[in-house]
Amino acid sequence: MADKDQDTTKKDDAAQQDAPVEEVVGEDEVEVAAEAEETAEEAKIEEELEEKAEEEAKVVEEELAEAPKEEPKIPEFRVGDTVKVFYKIIEGEKMRIQPFEGIVISFRGSDVSKTFTLRRIGADQVGVERILPLHSPNIEKIKVVKRGNVRRAKLFYLRDKVGREAMRVREAKK
């Protein structure tokens, strides 16, 4: 019996090999092929976009390297100096520059967050203090009017002085 089973399988195999094979392409296979083409096209488009982005990045880097670095010039001034700060004030759509002149009574902070305090005597002998960030984009320019010679890092004692005496600081020798 075993021999008969083996013979029939050999005949079936031979029949299958001789018969023409008809390939039936299902809808699923067509969709898979279409998706493969779309992903290939998307990959090409992504590669082109990446190449363009790399080229643009190179161009921007070259421009930055060529352009001079424009940092606002901040003059060296210390506590005790009288300075005039030209500060941008934006009111609605209008922009104006308001000067504020006073004695620097303190510095505070470090690096980019450094601030300084200016004090001046306003109308009716009222003291006005203003704390300004040193690296503010709203500061147009700083002009040193007069150099002062003081022994302290903070001049808070000027708050107790009245009138002309409140604005008096020894002038530095040149």
Side-chain angles (χ1 to χ4, degrees):
M1 280 203 153
D3 292 334
K4 289 182 182 179
D5 289 334
Q6 288 177 359
D7 290 338
T8 55
T9 56
K10 288 180 184 175
K11 289 178 185 177
D12 290 338
D13 288 339
Q16 285 179 359
Q17 288 176 358
D18 294 340
V21 177
E22 293 181 18
E23 288 187 20
V24 179
V25 177
E27 293 177 10
D28 293 338
E29 292 176 2
V30 172
E31 289 176 7
V32 169
E35 287 177 8
E37 289 178 11
E38 289 177 8
T39 55
E41 291 176 8
E42 290 175 1
K44 288 179 185 177
I45 292 171
E46 286 180 12
E47 288 177 15
E48 291 174 2
L49 290 175
E50 287 176 4
E51 289 174 6
K52 287 180 183 178
E54 288 176 8
E55 290 174 7
E56 290 176 2
K58 288 179 183 177
V59 170
V60 169
E61 286 177 9
E62 290 174 3
E63 289 176 0
L64 288 175
E66 292 174 3
K69 295 180 181 178
E70 296 178 17
E71 288 187 19
K73 300 272 185 165
I74 300 172
E76 262 190 52
F77 61 97
R78 302 154 58 163
V79 173
D81 293 350
T82 302
V83 296
K84 192 173 204 174
V85 177
F86 295 89
Y87 201 77
K88 287 185 207 173
I89 295 179
I90 300 167
E91 297 170 335
E93 294 179 11
K94 296 179 185 178
M95 195 244 345
R96 64 186 175 92
I97 296 176
Q98 180 183 35
F100 188 88
E101 185 176 342
I103 296 176
V104 178
I105 62 169
S106 73
F107 275 100
R108 185 177 203 166
S110 61
D111 296 331
V112 179
S113 62
K114 194 168 201 170
T115 61
F116 62 101
T117 305
L118 287 179
R119 180 176 175 82
R120 76 167 184 203
I121 302 298
D124 295 330
Q125 300 301 311
V126 176
V128 178
E129 287 186 6
R130 194 161 184 188
I131 300 171
L132 299 166
L134 187 62
H135 299 285
S136 171
N138 291 331
I139 293 179
E140 187 70 25
K141 68 179 179 178
I142 299 173
K143 182 179 175 184
V144 179
V145 177
K146 191 166 71 167
R147 299 254 176 216
N149 185 16
V150 294
R151 293 175 161 184
R152 298 173 185 269
K154 310 278 191 213
L155 303 182
F156 296 139
Y157 68 87
L158 291 177
R159 293 175 177 167
D160 298 332
K161 306 274 184 180
V162 181
R164 194 172 215 33
E165 193 177 87
M167 295 303 290
R168 190 173 300 158
V169 174
R170 268 193 312 232
E171 204 165 330
K173 295 178 184 176
K174 292 183 181 181

